[in-house]
C-alpha cells in the first residue's frame, strides 16, 4: 500500500501573500504539489476526544515540555490526523515556526510518521531573549530544546546557508532549500523590475524587527 503524504503549513498557502512567511509557505506548497498528492492537516475542532487521547496528550506535555494551555492543540492535531487516515509509516511534511504548527510536528512524530521539516527560522536564535510561548523556555534552554526537536526529524530543509552551517555544527543532518519567489509573486516582482528600467534612483523601505 502506497504511503500517504500529509502537509502542515505554517502560514497562508492560498490568497494574497501578506509577508515573507506566506511567500515561503507558498513556495513549499508549490514544490510539494509538483511531486505528489498531499493531504492538508490543520488543527481541527475538539470533537471526538477520547480518554486515551487525553492521556496521550498529557504524556506529550511532559515529553515535549509543552505548557498545559497548549494541550488542546496537541489533541486537535491528533483528531485531524485520525480523520485524514494517517498511519504509521506515512510521510508528514511540516513547516516549523514559533506558532502551534510545531505541535502538529510533535504529533506526527509520536504517531510514527516519517516527519520531514521545513524550519522558517531557527526560532530560538531568531528571537534570542524572547520566551517560547509553547514551552516557556528562553535563551540556551530554548536553543537546547529546539536542537533536540529538530534532531528527531527524518529530513530537514533549511532556508538559509547560515541555518545549514548551524545545523551541521550541532550534528543535525540538514539540506539547503533556498528561497525562491512562488509563481504568484514572480509576476509582481518582474513587473517591478520592468518599471525600474526607466528610473534613475530607487528608494527602498524595510524593517528589521525579525
Amino acid at each position: 500500500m502506497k504511503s500517504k503524504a500529509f502537509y502542515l503549513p505554517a502560514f497562508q498557502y492560498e490568497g494574497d501573500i501578506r509577508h515573507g512567511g506566506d511567500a515561503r509557505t507558498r513556495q513549499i506548497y508549490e514544490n510539494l504539489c509538483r511531486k505528489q498528492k498531499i493531504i492538508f492537516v490543520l488543527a481541527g475542532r475538539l470533537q471526538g476526544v477520547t480518554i486515551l487521547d487525553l492521556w496521550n496528550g498529557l504524556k506529550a506535555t511532559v515529553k515535549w515540555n509543552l505548557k498545559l494551555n497548549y494541550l488542546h492543540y496537541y489533541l486537535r492535531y491528533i483528531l485531524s490526523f485520525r480523520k485524514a487516515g494517517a498511519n504509521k509509516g506515512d510521510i508528514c511534511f511540516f513547516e516549523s515556526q514559533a506558532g502551534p504548527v510545531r505541535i502538529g510536528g510533535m504529533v506526527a512524530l509520536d504517531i510514527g510518521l516519517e516527519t520531514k521539516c521545513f524550519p522558517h527560522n531557527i526560532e530560538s536564535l531568531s528571537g534570542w531573549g524572547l520566551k517560547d510561548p509553547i514551552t516557556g523556555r528562553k535563551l540556551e534552554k530554548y536553543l537546547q530544546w529546539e536542537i533536540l526537536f529538530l534532531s528527531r526529524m527524518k529530513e530537514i530543509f533549511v532556508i538559509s546557508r547560515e541555518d545549514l552551517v548551524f545545523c551541521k555544527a550541532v550534528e543535525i543532518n540538514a539540506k539547503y532549500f533556498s528561497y525562491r519567489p512562488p509563481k504568484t509573486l514572480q509576476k509582481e516582482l518582474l513587473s517591478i523590475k520592468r518599471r525600474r528600467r526607466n528610473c534613475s534612483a530607487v528608494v527602498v523601505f524595510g524593517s528589521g524587527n525579525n
Side-chain angles (χ1 to χ4, degrees):
M1 184 177 178
K2 188 176 180 181
S3 296
K4 294 187 285 293
F6 299 95
Y7 172 46
L8 283 65
F11 293 103
Q12 193 166 283
Y13 58 89
E14 292 180 324
D16 294 336
I17 294 177
R18 304 162 299 174
H19 48 63
D22 282 351
R24 179 62 167 177
T25 288
R26 192 73 56 87
Q27 178 200 7
I28 294 168
Y29 168 62
E30 289 177 358
N31 185 270
L32 292 177
C33 284
R34 282 201 303 267
K35 296 181 179 180
Q36 67 232 303
K37 179 182 178 182
I38 59 172
I39 302 169
F40 285 92
V41 174
L42 305 173
R45 295 182 178 179
L46 272 175
Q47 293 181 341
V49 178
T50 66
I51 295 297
L52 181 60
D53 292 335
L54 185 57
W55 174 242
N56 287 333
L58 289 170
K59 288 193 296 182
T61 63
V62 177
K63 175 181 177 180
W64 296 108
N65 299 112
L66 283 180
K67 292 172 72 175
L68 200 57
N69 58 325
Y70 279 87
L71 171 61
H72 70 99
Y73 277 105
Y74 192 92
L75 298 174
R76 288 160 65 187
Y77 274 111
I78 284 178
L79 296 172
S80 294
F81 273 117
R82 183 181 299 152
K83 185 177 180 180
N87 294 301
K88 187 175 181 179
D90 286 338
I91 300 169
C92 176
F93 299 98
F94 95 100
E95 300 174 32
S96 180
Q97 53 92 233
V101 70
R102 272 184 294 162
I103 300 174
M106 297 170 197
V107 173
L109 288 167
D110 287 346
I111 64 176
L113 302 188
E114 188 177 293
T115 308
K116 303 184 180 186
C117 179
F118 295 84
H120 279 239
N121 291 296
I122 305 298
E123 295 295 341
S124 55
L125 297 179
S126 177
W128 187 255
L130 299 177
K131 186 179 288 187
D132 176 22
I134 289 176
T135 65
R137 298 185 170 202
K138 66 178 184 178
L139 300 175
E140 67 278 0
K141 289 186 178 180
Y142 184 13
L143 178 60
Q144 291 166 359
W145 182 93
E146 190 169 21
I147 290 170
L148 180 61
F149 178 58
L150 293 176
S151 69
R152 296 184 178 182
M153 305 299 156
K154 178 73 174 179
E155 287 185 286
I156 297 173
F157 303 90
V158 294
I159 191 171
S160 72
R161 295 191 185 279
E162 290 78 13
D163 287 354
L164 183 65
V165 170
F166 172 80
C167 285
K168 290 187 180 299
V170 295
E171 300 182 343
I172 293 175
N173 186 23
K175 298 176 182 177
Y176 178 45
F177 180 49
S178 63
Y179 172 71
R180 293 286 185 276
K183 289 179 181 178
T184 49
L185 194 55
Q186 285 176 16
K187 295 177 182 177
E188 182 181 345
L189 294 175
L190 288 172
S191 174
I192 293 171
K193 184 179 180 180
R194 285 192 296 269
R195 295 198 299 272
R196 279 180 175 173
R197 288 173 183 166
N198 299 321
C199 297
S200 58
V202 176
V203 178
V204 178
F205 294 92
S207 66
N209 65 347
N210 185 2

